[in-house]
């Protein structure tokens, strides 16, 4: 049988490092040992986590601002602990999420002309009890983000409501990686217990799991499509290996191959459009790339070699690549030994590179979400909205109200103008107004966002009843003729607080934030009338998880308040003892 050579368009892909003037110098990169990228890139900005003495911050540079970076460059600061991961939103080039050692996830809006330190976040997400190591935006639904913490929990957040959708506690040990599939219906994780898990994010349950790599070092996983997973890790003999799995036949890997015996952790970066997997070892000086075919075989293509080891890589989205140079991928290499960020372009050699080559540039994911957060939570799944790399034409776009809206969305894609929708946050001073698809009443609550979120955490109930009882006697009558024993019911809707029977006092005490009269508030859980509820089905597991998580957080908050009050009481008692202690001074003498 004659020997056959496998043909591939990407067989001769080579890496082209940028010139010195196109690099970013004097960037003090973090020395954290966490296995994250510490770098996030989009067509507008380059963000990197620097080495800081205290607190947590990251640098956000305009992409064209190359050369030497000044020490006084503006920073995004607000975390009380070191930043561990940063990710740009796939639907906006100005929205970025960050996770930190302070157990929080924060959402930031970066202005186009950032000229001073940014310390005002848009959304503050509390729920983890230990540091948050990894975050991933949903690939098709807007305002959905997944976080994995070192408390062995994954929390799915609704950024629009600043509350968790589900809390997943299916991992007995530390989580090493998280990855969404193509339509966002499932996500996979690797764990310290050497198991690979595929989880349903809506129910919070494990759909399937299997034994992964046998080594003790960290392993990573990436969804190749809706049904296949690529993993890289260590063998029992400490050799690095890669594998491809099919979740429909999850008991055994479809492909397995040993790479080398180096001890650096492999970080995978997948080009879903061209089905090419790039592997960069932490501390290595090379980048290997493989092509994955329909039979789940991984074919080694080539390797980019350099003289300097890498800390990690930032990846430019495909819509930011230069088609005139046949650039199919662009990495931003964080050097380990030098304070340099070096762009590396992966180029397919072509004779006429100035033309558009449709065979290496298929339609890629656009900046338009396929679903809203509410649609996805309700159970809908949809493939990403695709856009042409040649003319910016949008395909398989979800239905909109008019053809004009579709044209406006296509213009936004071409000009890369992000549109932020349905963020229920207070406009900060000096920030441009944000578009909103719903009418949100102005909130005048002056408490910090984190304190407000603690009370709203983990609740997605649309109806909650409260009753207020005054301290005065029951037969006392107020100005409106109602007795103090009268119960005023309120219901919580997604648009904010709205009283059923609004009175002047209720509007004053509930909305304006003025000093109300002293009264006791008793929380009463009551069933709304049948006409107000969409259905009368019993609570399912997800709703029970939400209610349990909400009550546990409220109990924790109340315990902290009690501790503070007890501490203050002890201080007052000590002061009172000092005042009651008789003085030894005689008449007319000072006790100083």
């Amino acid at each position: 049988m004659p020997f056959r050579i496998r043909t591939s368009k990407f067989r001769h892909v080579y890496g082209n490092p940028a010139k010195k003037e196109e690099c970013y110098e004097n960037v003090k990169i973090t020395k954290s040992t966490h296995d994250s990228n510490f770098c996030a890139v989009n067509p507008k900005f380059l963000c990197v986590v620097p080495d800081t003495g205290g607190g947590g911050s990251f640098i956000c540079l305009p992409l064209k601002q190359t050369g030497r970076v000044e020490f006084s460059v503006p920073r995004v600061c607000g975390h009380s602990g070191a930043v561990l991961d940063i990710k740009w939103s796939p639907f906006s080039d100005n929205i970025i999420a960050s996770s930190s050692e302070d157990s929080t996830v924060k959402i930031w809006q970066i202005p186009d002309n950032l000229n001073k330190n940014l310390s005002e976040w848009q959304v503050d997400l509390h729920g983890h009890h230990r540091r948050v190591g990894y975050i991933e935006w949903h690939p098709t639904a807007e305002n959905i983000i997944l976080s994995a913490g070192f408390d062995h929990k994954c929390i799915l957040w609704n950024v629009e409501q600043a509350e968790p959708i589900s809390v997943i506690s299916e991992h007995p040990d530390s989580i090493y990686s998280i990855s969404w599939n193509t339509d966002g219906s499932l996500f996979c994780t690797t764990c310290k217990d050497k198991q690979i898990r595929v989880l349903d994010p809506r129910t919070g349950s494990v759909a399937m799991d299997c034994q992964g790599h046998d080594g003790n070092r960290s392993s990573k996983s990436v969804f190749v499509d809706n049904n296949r997973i690529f993993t890289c890790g260590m063998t029992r003999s400490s050799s690095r290996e890669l594998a491809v799995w099919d979740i429909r036949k999850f008991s055994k890997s479809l492909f397995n191959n040993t790479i080398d015996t180096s001890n650096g952790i492999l970080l995978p970066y997948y080009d879903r459009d061209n089905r090419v997997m790039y592997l960069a070892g932490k501390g290595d000086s090379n980048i290997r790339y493989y092509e994955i075919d329909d039979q789940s075989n991984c074919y080694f293509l080539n390797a980019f070699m350099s003289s300097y080891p890498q800390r990690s890589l930032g990846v430019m989205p495909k819509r930011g690549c230069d088609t005139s140079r046949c650039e199919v991928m662009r990495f931003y290499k964080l050097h380990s030994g030098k304070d340099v960020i070096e762009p590396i372009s992966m180029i397919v050699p072509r004779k006429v590179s100035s033309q558009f080559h449709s065979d290496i540039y298929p339609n890629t994911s656009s900046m338009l979400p396929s679903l809203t957060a509410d649609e996805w939570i309700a159970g809908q799944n949809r493939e990403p909205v695709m856009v042409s790399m040649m003319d910016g034409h949008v395909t398989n776009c979800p239905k909109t109200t008019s053809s004009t809206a579709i044209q406006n969305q296509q213009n936004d894609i071409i000009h890369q103008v992000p549109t932020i929708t349905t963020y229920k946050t207070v406009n900060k001073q000096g920030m441009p107004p944000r578009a909103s698809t719903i009418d949100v009443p102005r909130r005048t609550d002056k408490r910090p966002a984190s304190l407000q979120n603690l009370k709203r955490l983990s609740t997605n109930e649309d109806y909650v009843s409260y009753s207020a009882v005054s301290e005065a006697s029951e037969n006392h009558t107020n100005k409106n003729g109602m007795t103090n024993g009268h119960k005023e019911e309120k219901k919580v809707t997604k648009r904010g607080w709205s009283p059923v029977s609004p009175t002047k006092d209720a509007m004053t005490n509930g909305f304006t934030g003025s000093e109300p009269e002293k009264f006791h508030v008793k929380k009463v859980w009551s069933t709304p009338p049948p006409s107000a509820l969409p259905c009368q089905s019993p609570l399912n597991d997800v709703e029970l998880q939400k209610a349990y998580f909400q009550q546990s957080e409220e109990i924790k908050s109340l315990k902290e308040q009690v501790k503070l009050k007890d501490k203050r009481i002890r201080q007052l008692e000590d002061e009172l003892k000092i005042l009651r202690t008789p003085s030894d001074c005689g008449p007319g003498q000072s006790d100083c």
Side-chain angles (χ1 to χ4, degrees):
M1 183 177 178
F3 180 74
R4 295 177 59 185
I5 299 177
R6 179 179 174 275
T7 60
S8 173
K9 298 187 291 289
F10 308 102
R11 185 177 183 85
H12 302 289
V13 171
Y14 67 93
N16 183 25
K19 299 178 181 179
K20 183 178 180 180
E21 55 269 17
E22 296 175 351
C23 297
Y24 304 84
E25 298 180 340
N26 195 35
V27 180
K28 305 291 183 181
I29 302 169
T30 179
K31 294 181 175 58
S32 174
T33 58
H34 182 60
D35 302 325
S36 178
N37 293 330
F38 295 109
C39 182
V41 193
N42 66 19
K44 278 188 177 183
F45 298 102
L46 166 68
C47 286
V48 62
V49 179
D51 188 18
T52 56
S57 64
F58 57 93
I59 297 173
C60 194
L61 299 170
L63 195 67
K64 297 181 180 179
Q65 187 179 325
T66 58
R68 182 178 177 84
V69 178
E70 298 297 332
F71 181 76
S72 59
V73 64
R75 301 192 178 197
V76 181
C77 49
H79 286 286
S80 59
V83 176
L84 298 180
D85 198 8
I86 49 176
K87 290 289 169 61
W88 285 106
S89 169
F91 310 119
S92 173
D93 284 343
N94 293 76
I95 298 296
I96 189 170
S98 62
S99 64
S100 170
E101 289 184 352
D102 62 2
S103 308
T104 65
V105 177
K106 297 185 190 300
I107 312 298
W108 310 83
Q109 182 172 9
I110 309 298
D112 291 335
N113 51 351
L114 182 63
N115 50 18
K116 63 178 182 179
N117 288 347
L118 179 63
S119 58
E120 294 291 333
W121 56 81
Q122 298 297 301
V123 182
D124 192 13
L125 304 175
H126 290 256
H128 287 281
H129 301 294
R130 295 184 64 186
R131 54 181 177 153
V132 185
Y134 305 97
I135 49 177
E136 283 291 341
W137 289 94
H138 195 279
T140 60
E142 189 178 25
N143 299 333
I144 300 291
I145 192 170
L146 177 68
S147 64
F150 282 80
D151 54 358
H152 311 161
K153 294 180 181 179
C154 292
I155 300 182
L156 189 67
W157 301 94
N158 185 347
V159 176
E160 179 181 346
Q161 302 291 337
E163 63 185 12
I165 300 170
S166 62
V167 181
I168 304 169
S169 304
E170 299 290 343
H171 299 84
D173 215 322
S174 300
I175 302 169
Y176 286 150
S177 66
I178 52 176
S179 175
W180 291 98
N181 64 348
T182 306
D183 61 2
S185 58
L186 299 170
F187 73 93
C188 66
T189 64
T190 54
C191 184
K192 194 175 181 179
D193 65 351
K194 304 176 185 178
Q195 291 285 321
I196 304 171
R197 293 177 174 85
V198 178
L199 300 105
D200 187 342
R202 297 184 180 94
T203 63
S205 59
V206 177
M208 55 206 73
D209 59 354
C210 72
Q211 179 70 23
H213 300 279
D214 296 329
N216 295 324
R217 300 294 300 277
S218 174
S219 60
K220 304 293 181 180
S221 63
V222 175
F223 255 110
V224 175
D225 50 33
N226 281 330
N227 297 317
R228 293 183 297 170
I229 300 174
F230 176 93
T231 62
C232 52
M234 295 282 188
T235 63
R236 194 183 300 273
S237 59
S238 298
S239 299
R240 298 193 294 190
E241 67 173 355
L242 57 87
V244 180
W245 312 75
D246 193 328
I247 62 176
R248 296 164 295 188
K249 304 173 183 178
F250 214 33
S251 59
K252 187 178 180 181
S253 62
L254 301 179
F255 179 85
N256 192 292
N257 185 31
T258 301
I259 301 175
D260 55 18
T261 57
S262 181
N263 59 358
I265 296 173
L266 290 171
L267 302 175
Y269 304 92
Y270 186 54
D271 182 2
R272 187 169 277 114
D273 300 331
N274 295 323
R275 299 192 298 183
V276 176
M277 180 66 70
Y278 298 86
L279 291 180
K282 186 178 177 182
D284 293 355
S285 57
N286 56 8
I287 303 175
R288 298 179 177 88
Y289 30 103
Y290 300 79
E291 188 173 7
I292 304 176
D293 63 1
D294 295 331
Q295 287 74 35
S296 301
N297 296 316
C298 288
Y299 297 98
F300 176 75
L301 296 176
N302 210 336
F304 167 75
M305 309 294 294
S306 65
S307 303
Y308 302 101
Q310 62 232 2
R311 173 66 182 80
S312 63
L313 300 177
V315 183
M316 172 67 73
K318 184 58 69 72
R319 54 189 171 85
C321 293
D322 189 359
T323 58
S324 63
R325 299 171 54 202
C326 294
E327 182 185 44
V328 293
M329 202 72 164
R330 189 190 308 166
F331 297 106
Y332 287 78
K333 177 179 175 180
L334 277 62
H335 285 247
S336 296
K338 302 190 299 181
D339 301 332
V340 176
I341 302 176
E342 178 186 22
I344 300 174
S345 298
M346 311 306 294
I347 297 176
V348 178
R350 293 291 172 96
K351 290 183 178 179
V352 184
S353 61
S354 59
Q355 296 180 357
F356 181 80
H357 299 271
S358 58
D359 57 334
I360 61 174
Y361 289 114
N363 292 344
T364 188
S365 298
S366 70
M367 293 176 62
L368 294 176
S370 302
L371 298 166
T372 64
D374 293 335
E375 290 173 343
W376 184 84
I377 294 171
Q380 298 186 35
N381 293 321
R382 192 174 295 164
E383 292 293 324
V385 178
M386 309 302 286
V387 62
S388 172
M389 293 283 290
M390 181 174 62
D391 55 5
H393 176 70
V394 177
T395 60
N396 69 321
C397 183
K399 293 181 180 180
T400 53
T401 55
S402 64
S403 60
T404 306
I406 297 178
Q407 185 63 34
N408 293 336
Q409 291 175 342
Q410 292 181 1
N411 293 336
D412 289 346
I413 293 295
I414 297 173
H415 300 289
Q416 297 177 354
V417 179
T419 302
I420 306 166
T421 60
T422 64
Y423 277 90
K424 292 176 60 178
T425 55
V426 179
N427 288 331
K428 309 298 180 183
Q429 294 183 357
M431 298 291 290
R434 293 165 290 149
S436 178
T437 59
I438 59 175
D439 247 344
V440 181
R442 181 177 295 275
R443 296 291 298 272
T444 57
D445 197 345
K446 301 300 183 181
R447 295 175 298 168
S450 58
L451 188 58
Q452 296 178 39
N453 290 338
L454 280 176
K455 285 197 169 185
R456 303 171 52 207
L457 195 62
S458 201
T459 175
N460 198 19
E461 303 291 334
D462 289 337
Y463 299 92
V464 181
S465 299
Y466 288 85
S467 62
V469 182
S470 176
E471 287 183 344
S473 60
E474 293 185 358
N475 54 5
H476 182 269
T477 306
N478 59 10
K479 295 180 181 180
N480 295 321
M482 297 187 300
T483 61
N484 290 331
H486 175 72
K487 296 184 178 180
E488 179 187 357
E489 293 186 351
K490 296 180 181 180
K491 63 179 180 180
V492 178
T493 65
K494 292 183 179 178
R495 295 177 180 268
W497 291 90
S498 59
V500 175
S501 303
T503 62
K504 184 177 180 180
D505 295 339
M507 295 294 290
T508 303
N509 296 334
F511 290 89
T512 62
S514 60
E515 187 67 22
E517 297 180 359
K518 292 183 179 180
F519 60 90
H520 298 286
V521 177
K522 181 181 179 183
K523 191 170 184 179
V524 179
W525 294 93
S526 60
T527 305
S531 60
L533 290 176
C535 61
Q536 292 291 340
S537 60
L539 293 177
N540 54 26
D541 293 341
V542 179
E543 292 172 340
L544 289 174
Q545 285 182 359
K546 293 176 183 176
Y548 172 77
F549 188 75
Q550 174 196 10
Q551 302 232 348
S552 62
E553 289 297 330
E554 289 179 352
I555 292 172
K556 182 180 177 182
S557 177
L558 291 173
K559 286 182 178 178
E560 292 177 354
Q561 295 178 12
V562 170
K563 287 181 181 179
L564 292 175
K565 290 182 178 179
D566 289 343
K567 184 178 178 181
R568 180 57 181 164
I569 290 172
R570 288 193 297 269
Q571 291 177 353
L572 293 174
E573 289 177 349
D574 294 340
E575 293 178 0
L576 188 60
K577 288 180 181 179
I578 295 174
L579 293 174
R580 289 180 176 178
T581 302
S583 176
D584 297 334
C585 301
Q589 296 181 355
S590 173
D591 59 349
C592 295

